[in-house]
Amino acid sequence: MGRDPESVQLVAVSKTVPVERLREAVAAGQRQFGENYLQEAQPKIVALGPDLRWHFIGHLQSKKAKAVVELFHLIHSVDRLRLAQALEAAAARRGKIQDILIQVMMSPEDTKSGAPPAEVPTLLKEIAQMSHLRVRGLMTMPPWLPPEEVRPYFRALRELRDQLRAQGVLPADAVELSMGMTADFEVAVQEGATLIRVGTAIFGARPQGVKPLKPED
Ligand SMILES: *Cc1c(COP(=O)(O)O)cnc(C)c1O
C-alpha cells in the first residue's frame, strides 16, 4: 500500500485497562496511550511517569479543559468553538502550547460528537487566532460498519485534510489523520491514517457495559 511504517503511529487505547497492564505494554516498548475518561486517566498518567505520550480521545466537556491540558500531549476531540476557547484559556494560564486535532463527523446520520465538515473551516479560522492551540490535523470516528463500508469515511477525511491544507485553512504541517480502531485500522492505514487508535487488539476485550463509542459526559 506504499506507506512508510514510520508515518503511522500506534496509540494504545487503554481505557478500562489497569495500570499494571500498561506497565507491561511500556516494558514491551509502547510509548503512546489513549484515554477517554479524565478521572480514570489521571492516576495512570501520574503512576507511569513523564516519558510517555498521552492522547485524549474521548468526548470532552469544556469544564474539564484545565485538567486535560495539564495531563495530555494531544487532544483528538476538539469539535466546537467553546471547547477550543476553554482549552486556549487553560493552555495560556499554564504557558503551554497545546496540540489538538479537530474531530470531524463524517456521516450525517451520526449523532456522535464531531464538527460537521462544513463547519470545520470556520472553526479552524477561529482557532488560528488563538496563540496557545496548535492544530496538528483531523480525527474521525465513523459509524459501526464493516471495514470496507467505513473506507469512504476515512477517504473523505483525508480529502478534507488535503483540501483544507491546499486552501491554507489548515497549517501546512497539520498532516495528522487520527482514524482506525481494532476493527478497521488496516483500511484506515490504506486511506492515509497517521495515528491509529487501537484498544481491543492490544489489551483484549473490555469489560461488558463499557461502550467504546459513548465516552463520559
Ligand atoms: C475505545 C476507543 C478506541 C479503541 O477501540 P477498539 O475497538 O478497542 O480498538 C478508539 N478510539 C476511540 C475514540 C475510542 O473510544
Side-chain angles (χ1 to χ4, degrees), residues 3 7 158 161 175 177 179 187-195:
R3 297 290 311 275
S7 70
R158 167 165 47 90
R161 178 203 62 185
V175 296
L177 288 177
M179 58 190 196
V187 170
V189 168
Q190 288 165 6
E191 294 301 333
T194 65
L195 293 161

Side-chain angles (χ1 to χ4, degrees), residues 12-197:
V13 175
S14 48
K15 61 178 174 234
T16 78
V17 178
V19 70
E20 301 75 47
R21 301 213 39 226
L22 271 74
R23 278 191 216 285
E24 292 171 16
V26 172
Q30 182 62 30
R31 290 289 175 274
Q32 308 205 57
F33 294 91
E35 289 277 343
N36 296 57
Y37 312 98
L38 179 62
Q39 268 166 300
E40 184 196 333
Q42 203 151 18
K44 293 181 188 175
I45 296 173
V46 171
L48 291 171
D51 297 335
L52 304 177
R53 212 176 137 73
W54 292 93
H55 298 250
F56 191 86
I57 63 172
H59 177 74
L60 181 53
Q61 294 174 286
S62 300
K63 67 179 184 193
K64 297 188 175 156
K66 180 171 174 285
V68 167
V69 163
E70 280 169 17
L71 290 166
F72 287 87
H73 299 93
L74 181 63
I75 302 170
H76 291 226
S77 46
V78 179
D79 61 358
R80 57 199 189 279
L81 181 58
R82 209 168 77 84
L83 174 59
Q85 288 166 333
L87 293 169
E88 163 68 15
R93 269 197 304 272
R94 204 175 162 78
K96 175 185 184 185
I97 305 294
Q98 177 67 56
D99 284 337
I100 63 170
L101 303 177
I102 304 301
Q103 182 172 354
V104 187
M105 185 178 56
M106 297 311 295
S107 51
E109 71 274 19
D110 225 352
T111 54
K112 291 194 295 273
S113 22
E119 290 174 19
V120 172
T122 309
L123 181 57
L124 282 169
K125 284 173 195 160
E126 300 273 6
I127 292 174
Q129 309 302 314
M130 302 179 188
S131 47
H132 298 83
L133 297 186
R134 187 167 61 165
V135 179
R136 310 304 302 157
L138 306 178
M139 179 271 216
T140 199
M141 220 158 60
W144 276 113
L145 292 169
E148 276 310 320
E149 289 174 44
V150 296
R151 185 184 293 280
Y153 299 102
F154 293 151
R155 184 168 297 172
L157 191 73
R158 167 165 47 90
E159 288 169 354
L160 180 64
R161 178 203 62 185
D162 293 345
Q163 180 195 331
L164 293 170
R165 285 177 71 221
Q167 294 167 347
V169 180
L170 260 183
D173 63 351
V175 296
E176 305 293 351
L177 288 177
S178 168
M179 58 190 196
M181 322 199 319
T182 293
D184 52 24
F185 68 86
E186 284 154 317
V187 170
V189 168
Q190 288 165 6
E191 294 301 333
T194 65
L195 293 161
I196 54 174
R197 311 180 307 266

